[in-house]
Amino acid sequence: MSTDLLSFDCRFQYGQGFTLESAFALPPGISVLFGPSGSGKSTCLSLIAGLLRPDAGAIRLCDTTLVDRGSGLWVPPHRRRLGMVFQDHLLFPHQTIRRNLGYGMASRDDNGTRLAQVVEMLDLGGLLDRYPGQLSGGEQRRVALGRAMLSEPQLLLMDEPLTGLDEAMRDRILHHLHQAHERLGVPMLLVSHDQVVVRRMAGHVVVLEEGRVVDQGPAHETLDRATTRTMASHPGPINLLRVEEVRRSGDHHEGVIAGQRFHLAGPIAPDSTTVYVRCLPRDVALLIGEVSRISMRNHLVGTIRDLIHIPGDHRALVAVDVGQLIWVEVTDSACRELGLAIGVRVTCLIKALATDVVG
Amino acid sequence: MSTDLLSFDCRFQYGQGFTLESAFALPPGISVLFGPSGSGKSTCLSLIAGLLRPDAGAIRLCDTTLVDRGSGLWVPPHRRRLGMVFQDHLLFPHQTIRRNLGYGMASRDDNGTRLAQVVEMLDLGGLLDRYPGQLSGGEQRRVALGRAMLSEPQLLLMDEPLTGLDEAMRDRILHHLHQAHERLGVPMLLVSHDQVVVRRMAGHVVVLEEGRVVDQGPAHETLDRATTRTMASHPGPINLLRVEEVRRSGDHHEGVIAGQRFHLAGPIAPDSTTVYVRCLPRDVALLIGEVSRISMRNHLVGTIRDLIHIPGDHRALVAVDVGQLIWVEVTDSACRELGLAIGVRVTCLIKALATDVVG
Amino acid sequence: ASEDPGRESGEVLVLAAASTQDVLQRLADLLRERGGPVMTISAAGSNALAQQILAGAPGDIYLSADPLWVQEIANAGHAAETVPLLGNDLVLVVPAENRADVREPGDLLSDRVRHVALAGEEVPAGRYAEQALRALGLWDTLSGSGRVVRGQNVRLTLAYVERGEVDAGIVYATDAAAAPSVRVVHTFQREDYPPVVYPLVLTTRGRDNPAAAAVFAFLQSPEARAIFAEHGFHPLAAP
Amino acid sequence: MTGWWLTPPEWQAIRLSLLVAFWAVVIFLPPATVLGWWLARRDFWGKTAVDTVLNLPLVLPPVVTGYLLLVMLGRQGVIGRPLDQWLGVEIVFTWRAAALASGVIAFPLMVRAIRVAMLGLDTRLEQAALTLGAHPVRVFFTITLPLARHGLIAGGVLGFARSIGEFGATIMIAGSIPGETRTMPLYIFGIMESPNGIARAQGMVIVSILIAAGALIVGQVIENRSHRQAGGPKR
Amino acid sequence: MTGWWLTPPEWQAIRLSLLVAFWAVVIFLPPATVLGWWLARRDFWGKTAVDTVLNLPLVLPPVVTGYLLLVMLGRQGVIGRPLDQWLGVEIVFTWRAAALASGVIAFPLMVRAIRVAMLGLDTRLEQAALTLGAHPVRVFFTITLPLARHGLIAGGVLGFARSIGEFGATIMIAGSIPGETRTMPLYIFGIMESPNGIARAQGMVIVSILIAAGALIVGQVIENRSHRQAGGPKR
Ligand SMILES: Nc1ncnc2c1ncn2[C@@H]1O[C@H](COP(=O)(O)OP(=O)(O)OP(=O)(O)O)[C@@H](O)[C@H]1O
Ligand SMILES: Nc1ncnc2c1ncn2[C@@H]1O[C@H](COP(=O)(O)OP(=O)(O)OP(=O)(O)O)[C@@H](O)[C@H]1O
Ligand SMILES: [Mg+2]
Ligand SMILES: [Mg+2]
């Protein structure tokens, strides 16, 4: 208990509506709240930051109790020393970017160098004397991030801090956040939907669904399980394959997917040379070794990149990289018999008729 | 000219600041504005929607001139029949979600079925009688999307319509947008930073940088070139590899990357079984065929997934899939001599000392 | 509500100086009991009433506390007939407890007196009070002492005295009589200031209203004069 | 407290005050809304002049405002003369004149309240409505006004309260005619002239206070109802 | 226009009016700000009562308000008597009384303007400031007040203008003492009692208008300066 960075165990209800009822503990380091839209992630952050008061339960940060409805203890938000990046930024519209950034900064221990570092890291150089209304969406998000970081929090809460940023910027900031974490040891709790971000950043992941913690643990395992869960409850992924160099060949069309021949069925606009083809995972079969004579016309060879057993369903979803990623649904027994595993080379067999040319 | 859906050729300056000076033409279908944060994407959409007035130039939609500073022509925004999804939603806070969704709907041709379809598609069922202030960030974004779609626009402008949504929801909406496009033929222009979204959605991509069009064309080629450009101007990608099953082995540690052995250098916390290792692309070498005796201790076998020639730089970035993706920087000549190409199996050689254990 | 209450048949709109409101109301009640014309009284400051007449507002009869304004409307051709109807006395009043011990005008200069209230310079009561004090040789010293407070009208002046905010005030005898909590300590000699006159005017609009003529006559009748006198006014001799 | 059981003339004054204040608000709030919006949004040459004229009833003593109204609306006035000659309508000394005077006096207060609300409003929401194909007029009524509702409510409440208390301009242009124009303040003024007036005015003062409380409660109720929509901590 | 060259008493009245209005705003705007914030944010038992009391000067004829002030602050009053007896301070019939009367009359206007602005404000910005470790008092001064600046400006301008025009309560509690309490409205009202008063008052009426225009321009300038910050079409 005492080694946890944060222990959270709260119930909170919006009026008569959504109820959050979750308990989790975060180890020191970087953690991620993960879960579908509307699952209560922002609500969690608000509770931790003290912007909402739980109906029951308690939140502890290190050795400090932030709120405990049992004993009536309550630390007001401004004494919690938590930096928060809001989903919608909430920059102060009447202050310049410089003043926004400096708002939470304890002025005593700073002679501009920390501000300069953050400005450099977030590439905000030319914007300091503008007002938030004069920034682009991504610029606003970066300012919000910088403002929270400069407040020297004991814990940095970030609600989707990197969405709306281009990949280069995202990578750069991720890198810097990592550095900041290593150098200054600032623990972070972030909300993100982006698996790249999560897998790269997080040590610990908490998965929320409909206000409840459905899973938590080390990042990779937890995310793999999460993907599985989503797929179990969801119609599942739909393959969308890009077929290039399409040309007529006798009574049908054919093209190329990542260097491999692909047969198309159905009408195709005469001047298209690139089309998209949609097929369902269950319409794809897998084969190991040489292709035998078979009625399935399309054979795409690739490597298994991912393999997800769907619990209680005796199914598995296999991601095969044939140059493009193809999801294949197989039974658990087929999976065992064929010895499917990540890295195994397989051939995907797709019936041309089962595909659907998109355009 | 007349086959273009939209032709855009404008100059616009914010006060004394940022200047947009761009010209592009969009074919019918789905197009994407792509570019780093602050490059002028939202500004473009505002100009098309008539929320900003260009300083010079003209915008034409199909056969209609929306604005032409030369002739003084100006169609006010409410007559442009463009649906816009704003980066920050801009839902009407005083109206229920139902009324928000219905705001732009021409009441005559609707008896609730279209509303019902959109509600179903965006999974907004339980939210109709709430107010925007009572929704989560992702829910707000979906309402904004639905509101624009229901206004039956001639062109749907969407500023990052899918950020902040979980992957399942994103895929589902992408699918529906595609369908909407096919069924109703609504052309779309969207802003996105998400290559997945762009590659899946777009027929045409316009790349903006600092207010100028630096590239445009069919989606895939353009995006590949864009990635290249970013990499040329940017420090480039940094490899972050996940090493599992770490254990001590004599004087050093070793672990496993996607089934292949990996040697680690440097201090490692005693109880870590999984660590991350960072290395720069230029510190990785490629080998084809058998591994000869060599001082580089780490050999990871994989397939080339991507190969990007950086123009004017005699360098190429190669993406090798060894179970995880590794970026490798090689010279153009090495690239030619080794015959590197997408799909070729190679071995990545990494000096243990060149790596950097992250945690 | 009619467009023009003053000219409804049998109705007479009397524009009355505020200080005559009560007595006129009594006369109006009397008239109504007898089945005579209905008098509607609109009370305000004499200046406001005159402005209304000048602007062409309906109004059959004007009982003014200020002859200057009557002159003004006569000059503008709005007066059909004018008679000086009432007179009044100026009195020196003190609060009930009279802590400054003011007994006669000369005491106004004593050190015990902090404030003396007079009506405004431009209203008759103020003008006349000033002249009365001047006649007694008190004005220059008093006005130089900074202890003069001007209430706008007589009523406000009286309110200061009633509340004990001032140590003395000069008002009309009629007003003083209506304020039970003040004490009249001195009545100024009528020779010391111009006569206080309340002229009664039949306006040009009233001339066309037969009922107005009847009311105009009634207000000058001996019966009316007796009632005016009961309220402390001096009915003036008919010209 | 002698006047607790109100006399018929007192009831008359109360009824009249309510009538006058009601119409002052009903007639003047719509133009105040448009003007408040205009002043908040547009910058034009002569804006200060418009603003000054509109605020005159606030800076000038009400009697002066009343006098100016009287001069304009009297039978000899620029507006009064044609009204009288062509339509046979006389405004002076009617309750309509009282409503007009109250409205004019309260007008700058209404405009200001609405202007403040309009200035605090996010104009991008209006832009969003435009992109949805709504005509600017529809945008004004469905987006701008509801979002500026605090200002409208405040304008209404302020205007009503100010009208209930209006004295100086009213007595000038409407006189003090029992049952027609003698509103509560005029009534109070009247009885304060007579013996024991202060004491006799107490009943009316209390009624004024009750009416004010009523108006404020109504405003608060409307505000609360519309406020509930803002919901929890999110926008 | 006889009075274009202003006479010394007129200059005195102008100076006094400016002094009185200035102090009325300076003294009453801060409590109006706090009260406006409080009424906008808090819901508490008795809120309507507070609101009613504070709005009384609006609903009651100013003379009545003045009379009530006189009763409280006069030599015999509950507040005035101890002040007079223990401190030897006399308020009634001084320019301070005029400032007080003007302030009290203008107070509900200031509170309303500020309240409207506070209601239009996004409270989540204050929450954001709290999470940055700012004490609630700092949040109030650095976030709440600047964001409600339209209301503060409007409150100041309204209060100043209303004070410049205030007559009824001032004459009641401050009397009309040349050089001490005879402000412009009192001066104007006074000379309007005489038949040639209108002509003589013209100069002062014009000065009133100029002062109003000046106050409005100052308000507009402050507003424009702060408005520029809002920037282009984005928030
Ligand atoms: N109102 C404004 N005044 C001055 N500059 C502005 C204003 N709005 C935007 N800018 C600047 O114009 C540039 C382009 O802004 P725009 O919003 O179009 O970018 P964007 O491409 O949409 O970026 P993002 O992906 O971050 O949303 C930015 O550098 C921004 O700082
Ligand atoms: N003020 C409110 N009143 C009522 N319900 C609310 C309120 N705020 C949020 N909710 C509901 O609570 C649930 C959780 O909201 P929350 O903002 O925590 O979701 P989230 O996980 O952050 O989602 P997203 O990824 O879309 O931002 C949602 O279903 C939302 O509709
Ligand atoms: Mg959220
Ligand atoms: Mg943008």
Side-chain angles (χ1 to χ4, degrees), chain D residues 17-38:
Chain D
S17 267
L18 291 173
L19 180 79
V20 162
F22 173 78
W23 282 106
V25 171
V26 167
I27 301 294
F28 282 86
L29 197 56
T33 306
V34 174
L35 204 56
W37 170 78
W38 200 48

Side-chain angles (χ1 to χ4, degrees), chain C residues 3-4 7 55-58 205, chain D residues 72-92:
Chain C
E3 290 294 328
D4 187 348
R7 278 190 290 180
R205 284 185 85 152
Chain D
M72 282 193 295
L73 293 167
R75 264 214 296 198
Q76 325 290 332
V78 279
I79 303 172
R81 183 192 301 243
L83 276 182
D84 185 39
Q85 286 187 350
W86 304 107
L87 302 174
V89 175
E90 210 170 353
I91 297 179
V92 171

Side-chain angles (χ1 to χ4, degrees), chain D residues 39-40 43 47-48 51-53 55-56 58-64 67-68 108-109 112-113 115-117 119-120 122-124 127 150-151 153-155 157-167 172 184-186 188-189 192 198 204-205 208-214 216-217 220 223-224 227 232-235, chain E residues 39-40 43 47-48 51-53 55-56 58-64 67-68 108-109 112-117 119-120 122-124 127 150-151 153-155 157-158 160-167 172 184-186 188-189 192 198 204-205 208-214 216-217 220 223-224 227 232-235:
Chain D
L39 289 170
D43 252 328
K47 177 169 170 172
T48 309
D51 206 8
T52 306
V53 169
N55 277 287
L56 280 186
L58 202 58
V59 228
L60 295 177
V63 207
V64 176
Y67 172 76
L68 294 174
L109 306 184
R112 252 310 148 170
R115 184 172 169 180
V116 168
L119 280 172
D122 183 359
T123 55
R124 299 189 66 227
Q127 296 192 334
H150 301 309
I153 295 167
V157 170
L158 275 184
F160 190 84
R162 183 72 185 85
S163 297
I164 291 286
E166 185 2 69
F167 168 75
M172 203 70 186
M184 293 163 60
L186 301 184
I188 292 173
F189 171 82
M192 276 176 75
I198 306 285
M204 290 301 259
V205 168
S208 298
I209 296 174
L210 292 179
I211 290 177
L216 292 168
I217 289 171
Q220 192 63 50
E223 195 132 277
N224 284 351
H227 207 58
K234 310 254 182 66
R235 223 172 344 165
Chain E
L39 289 170
D43 252 328
K47 178 167 171 174
T48 309
D51 207 8
T52 305
V53 169
N55 277 287
L56 280 186
L58 201 60
V59 226
L60 295 178
V63 200
V64 175
Y67 183 77
L68 295 176
L109 307 183
R112 254 308 150 170
I114 288 156
R115 184 172 169 180
V116 168
L119 280 173
D122 183 0
T123 55
R124 300 190 64 226
Q127 297 193 332
H150 301 309
I153 296 167
V157 170
L158 275 185
F160 189 84
R162 183 70 185 88
S163 297
I164 291 284
E166 187 356 72
F167 169 75
M172 203 67 194
M184 292 163 62
L186 269 57
I188 293 172
F189 199 97
M192 275 180 72
I198 302 293
M204 292 298 264
V205 167
S208 299
I209 295 174
L210 292 179
I211 289 176
L216 293 168
I217 288 171
Q220 191 65 53
E223 195 132 276
N224 284 350
H227 207 59
K234 309 254 182 68
R235 226 171 341 165

Side-chain angles (χ1 to χ4, degrees), chain A residues 135-138 164, chain B residues 37-43 87 159-160 191 193, chain E residues 234:
Chain A
L135 299 191
S136 80
Chain B
S37 173
S39 55
K41 305 179 296 297
S42 301
T43 308
Q87 204 167 357
D159 206 339
E160 308 193 18
V191 170
H193 291 112
Chain E
K234 309 254 182 68

Side-chain angles (χ1 to χ4, degrees), chain C residues 118-142:
Chain C
L118 305 188
E121 289 97 326
E122 306 290 353
V123 297
R127 281 198 310 264
Y128 298 158
E130 202 176 310
Q131 291 191 28
L133 290 170
R134 194 165 268 140
L136 294 171
L138 299 172
W139 175 247
D140 291 333
T141 323
L142 193 63

